[in-house]
Amino acid sequence: IPLIQDLPVGQNLQDHVTTGLDIVILNQTLPLNVANIASLSSALDYLFYGTGPWTSPGCEAVAVVHSDLSDPQTDPPDLQLMAIPSGASSDDGAHLYTTVGITDKVQ
């Protein structure tokens, strides 16, 4: 295939890797699944009382770090770690089933 134009395609390619790590809070739960977020009661709770799943920022914590500590002063950080309020305990594992390709079916 002849080259038409040499563009920097893929220069800013970023993977979005996920893990199976689940943080479970025992004192209080706020399930963030599609059914809960899209419900009319969640919308009304937010609009009238300022409570419920719509008050979640969507990302609870972010850290930007260096994967190579040999020269952290000059190299820009290359890893971003995010803690989001969803996972196997809030969506019955649907996220893990899709991203990791696991299944409950015995083969």
Side-chain angles (χ1 to χ4, degrees), residues 64-82:
V64 182
V65 296
H66 295 275
S67 63
D68 181 9
L69 297 178
S70 62
D71 194 6
Q73 298 300 323
T74 58
D75 292 335
D78 60 346
L79 288 178
Q80 181 180 24
L81 307 173
M82 300 172 68

Side-chain angles (χ1 to χ4, degrees), residues 16-21 84 87-88 91 93-103:
H16 291 79
V17 180
T18 186
T19 69
L21 182 62
I84 58 174
D91 68 357
H95 177 73
L96 292 176
Y97 295 152
T98 303
T99 58
V100 183
I102 60 175
T103 180

Side-chain angles (χ1 to χ4, degrees), residues 36-76:
N36 192 329
I37 293 172
S39 74
L40 179 59
S41 65
S42 292
L44 295 175
D45 282 344
Y46 177 74
L47 293 172
F48 292 112
Y49 307 110
T51 62
W54 286 24
T55 60
S56 172
C59 183
E60 301 294 333
V62 176
V64 182
V65 296
H66 295 275
S67 63
D68 181 9
L69 297 178
S70 62
D71 194 6
Q73 298 300 323
T74 58
D75 292 335

